[in-house]
Amino acid sequence: MAPLVELKSAGVSLGRHPIIDDVSFSIEAGETIGVIGPNGSGKTTLLRVVATLIRPTSGGGAVLGRNLLSPRIREVRPEIGLVSHHPALLPELTVKENLTHFTNLTGDQSGGIDQALVVVGMSDARSRLVSACSYGMQRRLEVAWLLMAKPKVLLLDEAKSGLDVSAQGLIDALVELTVSRGGAVISVSHDSGQLGGTAFTRILGLEHGRLQVVE
Amino acid sequence: MSLWRQSLEIARIDLVVERRIGDTFRIILPFAVIALMIFSLAFGFDITSSGDAGPGVFWAIAILFGMQIALRSSALETESRRDLTTLLGLDPAARFLGRSISAAILLAGFTLVLFVAMLLLYSPELPGAWAGPLALALILTTIGLALLSTLAGEVTSGLRNRTALASLIVAPLVIPLVVGASQVLEAMERSSGILLWVLLLTTTDLVLLVAGVGLSRPLEEAAR
């Protein structure tokens, strides 16, 4: 069976400065990978390459069977879930309007917005503007969307940073759910403590843009 | 999800956001009306009383301020917001069309109110049966300006100072729209046909539409 994510000597350079260099790994269905590295080591860039948001400037790879360098990569994007540093929401809309907007764009007719808000503990805040929500609430809202979207590849960028214990538990639950559906997860952090709560298949280290196996 | 449905959803959300922020009608429109007044003061009251300058000043202000309205959606977009819609599978052509639709609706409302303000401030002598041709010119011009500004917003997406850069791109390319729009009234005053100018506006709109839809996917790929 083909891996869900595969990078082959992938690199990204900004001018002559390499951000990540010669990165190779693959992730099968049901695997979780943790990546630890200091600030500026290229963790976010690595995730954005896998998320198909950045094209590798050297090497290549595939996500969900599509070549990263092909324009057809856009076909698999709805099956990739990304939780990045800054919550990617529309602050001028309410909590529920955000989820409705996402489902309208994806054509998801399955419903479940109210149920997802209950699961993440935000059913009382459904009419609140996202701009009036705390950082932790915005993260919960992102989790609510990902619970509905059921991505096959889940990418977490310092996802637990700044969250309370119950919100961190939601991230762990999202990881378990993704893996149990046969998906794959990559979680990156500068702090190994924040990778706790998840049983990783492998933990990799990233330093100066190069990967090393930690355990 | 179809391109059309995604486009309408983008336009709908854009208008909801605008209703809550109120940039167009609470900030830009009053400023544009003040600009109409400043022009009349700068040129002296003779021009205001004769009304000759009214339509010309109106089009100049409508285009310049309209650019800011049409570019506001691109200016609001953060990297994480763009990433989100990209990962939701939003077709870049739908993003272009949706933003153009919402910008055209806002511009239509803006130019209509601005035109009424110009009538009140300058009292121009308009040729007979001006309403129909002028409405046509307004609609075609606002569509063109919306398409052009949205395209410029897409070209400069992700760049630093993108709002200023987009304005620089729009300014020279807007000339066919300015010429077409202003000449419709001129032609009516001379009692000559307006077909040539309507054709110029329509052709410009069609070229911008085709260019915007056709370039949106390559532009998104190039931005990766």
Side-chain angles (χ1 to χ4, degrees):
Chain A
M1 199 165 130
L4 297 187
V5 177
E6 186 173 30
L7 294 188
K8 291 178 180 173
S9 301
V12 174
S13 298
L14 195 62
R16 290 163 64 183
H17 175 65
I19 311 292
I20 58 170
D21 185 28
D22 196 24
V23 171
S24 299
F25 67 88
S26 64
I27 310 174
E28 308 284 338
E31 281 195 305
T32 54
I33 289 189
V35 180
I36 300 172
N39 293 333
S41 58
K43 302 184 299 296
T44 298
T45 301
L46 174 63
L47 274 199
R48 288 176 63 79
V49 168
V50 177
T52 78
L53 296 169
I54 295 179
R55 180 199 290 263
T57 50
S58 61
V63 175
L64 296 166
R66 290 276 190 276
N67 189 326
L68 276 173
L69 303 176
S70 160
R72 290 189 65 197
I73 193 71
R74 59 189 299 276
E75 293 168 8
V76 300
R77 283 182 181 145
E79 299 190 76
I80 300 169
L82 173 66
V83 178
S84 59
H85 284 297
H86 307 290
L89 301 163
L90 287 92
E92 305 88 356
L93 301 185
T94 66
V95 165
K96 188 167 182 180
E97 283 171 343
N98 264 274
L99 294 183
T100 306
H101 177 50
F102 301 161
T103 54
N104 286 346
L105 280 183
T106 55
D108 180 1
Q109 302 292 323
S110 60
I113 291 177
D114 290 328
Q115 192 185 348
L117 288 176
V118 169
V119 170
V120 300
M122 288 193 65
S123 53
D124 291 340
R126 71 188 67 195
S127 302
R128 189 182 297 185
L129 287 177
V130 165
S131 57
C133 291
S134 68
Y135 175 80
M137 291 171 84
Q138 293 185 23
R139 269 281 137 86
R140 284 172 184 265
L141 180 54
E142 281 191 317
V143 172
W145 166 243
L146 292 171
L147 287 171
M148 295 173 66
K150 304 178 182 72
K152 283 187 181 162
V153 174
L154 177 63
L155 307 170
L156 305 172
D157 189 356
E158 312 272 5
K160 291 184 181 177
S161 177
L163 296 183
D164 60 28
V165 174
S166 70
Q168 289 188 16
L170 284 173
I171 301 277
D172 291 334
L174 180 64
V175 169
E176 283 173 26
L177 204 61
T178 305
V179 170
S180 68
R181 288 194 195 110
V185 179
I186 304 177
S187 180
V188 307
S189 179
H190 67 281
D191 178 5
S192 58
Q194 288 194 359
L195 295 181
T198 302
F200 287 101
T201 316
R202 276 171 288 162
I203 292 189
L204 308 171
L206 190 65
E207 196 141 359
H208 303 302
R210 285 181 166 264
L211 269 187
Q212 298 140 6
V213 176
V214 175
E215 59 183 74
Chain B
M1 182 137 184
S2 74
L3 176 75
W4 189 236
R5 278 174 179 269
Q6 281 193 333
S7 305
L8 290 180
E9 175 64 11
I10 291 294
R12 184 183 74 83
I13 288 301
D14 221 17
L15 292 173
V16 169
V17 169
E18 171 55 32
R19 181 161 53 86
R20 292 192 182 151
I21 294 180
D23 278 353
T24 300
F25 293 102
R26 279 185 240 155
I27 299 171
I28 299 177
L29 177 61
F31 196 25
V33 172
I34 290 169
L36 273 179
M37 295 165 70
I38 290 172
F39 263 92
S40 71
L41 292 173
F43 286 113
F45 290 104
D46 288 349
I47 283 179
T48 315
S49 56
S50 73
D52 288 349
V57 171
F58 161 74
W59 282 118
I61 291 177
I63 296 282
L64 291 173
F65 283 78
M67 270 165 47
Q68 302 311 312
I69 293 170
L71 285 170
R72 42 164 280 295
S73 178
S74 309
L76 280 174
E77 190 172 67
T78 59
E79 186 185 36
S80 58
R81 197 153 148 176
R82 194 172 182 90
D83 289 351
L84 171 75
T85 50
T86 301
L87 288 177
L88 287 171
L90 175 65
D91 190 324
R95 178 174 12 231
F96 170 76
L97 286 173
R99 284 190 173 162
S100 298
I101 291 167
S102 60
I105 290 170
L106 291 173
L107 282 171
F110 167 79
T111 48
L112 190 64
V113 176
L114 193 66
F115 186 74
V116 172
M118 185 275 290
L119 290 180
L120 295 173
L121 285 169
Y122 287 79
S123 308
E125 288 179 21
L126 294 171
W130 56 269
L134 188 76
L136 183 62
L138 271 178
I139 291 167
L140 291 173
T141 308
T142 53
I143 291 173
L145 187 57
L147 289 166
L148 177 58
S149 301
T150 307
L151 179 57
E154 291 296 308
V155 169
T156 56
S157 169
L159 300 176
R160 265 182 293 171
N161 303 326
R162 62 180 184 271
T163 309
L165 283 172
S167 302
L168 273 177
I169 292 172
V170 172
L173 296 177
V174 87
I175 289 171
L177 296 173
V178 178
V179 171
S182 58
Q183 287 304 310
V184 167
L185 272 183
E186 289 282 323
M188 288 178 68
E189 280 174 2
R190 293 194 306 265
S191 300
S192 55
I194 62 166
L195 184 63
L196 175 67
W197 307 113
V198 170
L199 271 178
L200 173 65
L201 290 172
T202 308
T203 306
T204 306
D205 289 0
L206 285 174
V207 168
L208 289 169
L209 177 66
V210 171
V213 171
L215 287 174
S216 51
R217 285 187 185 182
L219 280 173
E220 184 179 81
E221 270 304 299
R224 276 214 294 145

